[in-house]
Amino acid sequence: MPGGGGAMRRRARRHGLVLVRALWIVMCAALLAVSGVAWSTVSELEAGVERSYAIAPDAPKSQNAVNILIMGLTTRLDLQGQPLPDDLLQRMRAGESDRGGYNANTLILLHIPRDGSAAVAMSVPRDNLVTLSGVPSGPQTGKIKEAYGRAKELEERRLRSSGEDDARVLERAGREAGRRAQVLTVSAFLNVPIDHLVEISLVGFFHIATKLGGVDVCLNRATRDDMSGADFQAGPQQLNAPQALSFVRQRHGLANGDLDRTRRAQAFLAYLVSRLKSADVVAVRALIDVAKEDVVLSDGLDLVGLAEHLPSEVRFHTLPVEGGAVVDGQSVNRVDERRVQAAVSDLTAPAAVQPQPPPGIPCVD
């Protein structure tokens, strides 16, 4: 339909956000159809993915960009709070189902400018000592990763005291409280609005790697760690799903511990983005399948549209820390909020003033 896209966009502007969203989905469907993915698959995703309403409709919105908080949870449970099958846990090499709790060990703010310039994925180290917002008992101090679990536990305790005993209701309400607290905490720490959230647990990482047929990575040096099961040579290599999960979990034996693990999560995401941007049908299908099983999206976020409309370049950065400290017997990262704010401002500046990253899959420790 020559010229039809322009006419549709003009009508969308006149009639507001409802038609803008409809146009977005139609464009995604057309692009996916070119790649061999049917419209029925897109419709299935729209109907099948679990949605969160933790971000209030009247929450502050980003201007000239979309900010998405990607949260990777440590839990070994499924979306309903049920244990994973034993054979799956064995293949994941991640221990028993009662390990991990509900810490948000991976926190990445994906900043996507609306002008098509480079997107930025900013990793927030999990052990940063911050004020935890949105926790039912009031603001607390703790590691930034803990907002989710603390809020979840307190909300479930509140519901039980009022007579609620349905495990599924408690799990759903507790997780929504956790998401709300984690979003509010990261938003306050970075001093930026968060428009959407994506939540994925360890099994989601594993399933993505499985459906992709492996993950390409590059290591600066050989490394081995019995805790995570990591055993990798130096240089570029392809990892199978269990190896890929060990790759993103490893922190022992790395010079910078958790900070190096943060860069590995970025490398995993960089590989996924490279597959999506190359119109890789397998990668698109993998994302759709995993989204329906292991991922929670905020209401209104179109995952397929996001994948198809990412800018051609995504840059990865880690927010600075000042050093380590011990608080209440726990190791934490000390942060200078002025440096954090300066880093956020620099990383979301126009692409012209940002250094160009090296091409290809990044090599990490």
Side-chain angles (χ1 to χ4, degrees):
M1 296 190 304
M8 290 178 67
R9 286 191 291 272
R10 287 192 293 273
R11 288 195 295 273
R13 284 194 292 269
R14 287 197 300 269
H15 296 290
L17 292 177
V18 174
L19 281 183
V20 169
R21 173 160 170 76
L23 174 61
W24 195 5
I25 294 173
V26 168
M27 291 174 65
C28 292
L31 287 167
L32 290 173
V34 170
S35 301
V37 180
W39 163 252
S40 59
T41 307
V42 182
S43 300
E44 187 179 353
L45 175 62
E46 283 290 306
V49 70
E50 180 164 341
R51 295 290 178 175
S52 168
Y53 300 89
I55 300 177
D58 59 351
K61 303 298 182 186
S62 301
Q63 301 296 318
N64 304 317
V66 176
N67 287 333
I68 302 171
L69 180 62
I70 302 173
M71 302 186 293
L73 299 185
T74 54
T75 181
R76 274 72 163 170
L77 305 177
D78 66 15
L79 289 181
Q80 287 72 47
Q82 298 300 307
L84 300 172
D86 288 341
D87 65 327
L88 178 56
L89 286 171
Q90 290 175 3
R91 285 186 285 130
M92 290 171 59
R93 304 172 185 168
E96 302 298 323
S97 60
D98 59 354
R99 291 189 58 193
Y102 282 92
N103 287 330
N105 267 12
T106 298
L107 291 166
I108 298 176
L109 184 74
L110 182 60
H111 175 81
I112 306 175
R114 296 187 187 276
D115 63 4
S117 58
V120 178
M122 296 184 291
S123 290
V124 181
R126 66 173 189 160
D127 289 338
N128 285 359
L129 187 65
V130 302
T131 298
L132 305 179
S133 304
V135 178
S137 61
Q140 305 176 7
T141 299
K143 298 180 181 182
I144 196 167
K145 68 179 182 180
E146 296 175 336
Y148 193 115
R150 290 196 195 184
K152 180 181 185 295
E153 180 182 358
L154 289 170
E155 176 64 9
E156 290 179 6
R157 187 184 304 171
R158 183 189 70 80
L159 290 172
R160 286 192 184 95
S161 68
S162 66
E164 181 60 65
D165 60 1
D166 187 309
R168 287 182 176 267
V169 172
L170 291 169
E171 183 72 13
R172 172 69 181 175
R175 286 200 175 195
E176 281 288 81
R179 293 164 190 141
R180 188 176 305 110
Q182 197 66 65
V183 166
L184 290 173
T185 296
V186 175
S187 178
F189 175 61
L190 299 181
N191 193 29
V192 297
I194 293 177
D195 304 296
H196 290 291
L197 68 86
V198 175
E199 175 188 300
I200 184 169
S201 58
L202 278 179
V203 70
F205 281 100
F206 182 81
H207 282 155
I208 287 177
T210 299
K211 291 178 181 296
L212 288 175
V215 176
D216 292 345
V217 303
C218 178
L219 286 169
N220 291 321
R221 57 187 60 85
T223 181
R224 179 168 181 162
D225 168 40
D226 292 336
M227 296 287 289
S228 64
D231 186 4
F232 308 127
Q233 61 187 8
Q237 57 203 284
Q238 184 176 74
L239 307 182
N240 62 28
Q243 291 172 325
L245 191 58
S246 295
F247 173 80
V248 297
R249 290 183 59 229
Q250 183 185 3
R251 61 188 174 97
H252 298 285
L254 301 180
N256 297 299
D258 274 331
L259 296 181
D260 284 337
R261 178 163 65 173
T262 293
R263 296 183 180 96
R264 289 188 173 198
Q266 294 173 354
F268 185 103
L269 186 57
Y271 176 71
L272 177 59
V273 168
S274 72
R275 291 280 297 267
L276 292 171
K277 294 309 297 181
S278 66
D280 187 318
V281 176
V282 173
V284 174
R285 287 188 182 278
L287 197 63
I288 290 172
D289 290 343
V290 172
K292 292 188 293 181
E293 186 175 355
D294 302 316
V295 172
V296 177
L297 306 178
S298 55
D299 183 47
L301 175 58
D302 176 8
L303 187 61
V304 177
L306 171 65
E308 293 297 334
H309 290 81
L310 275 174
S312 59
E313 185 180 351
V314 180
R315 295 171 178 162
F316 296 85
H317 300 272
T318 302
L319 291 176
V321 300
E322 294 299 302
V326 176
V327 177
D328 296 332
Q330 294 191 65
S331 298
V332 300
N333 295 329
R334 291 185 291 106
V335 295
D336 182 333
E337 293 192 9
R338 290 173 298 180
R339 282 192 67 200
V340 168
Q341 292 306 312
V344 171
S345 297
D346 289 345
L347 297 179
T348 57
V353 301
Q354 296 181 11
Q356 295 295 319
I361 302 299
C363 286
V364 296
D365 290 329

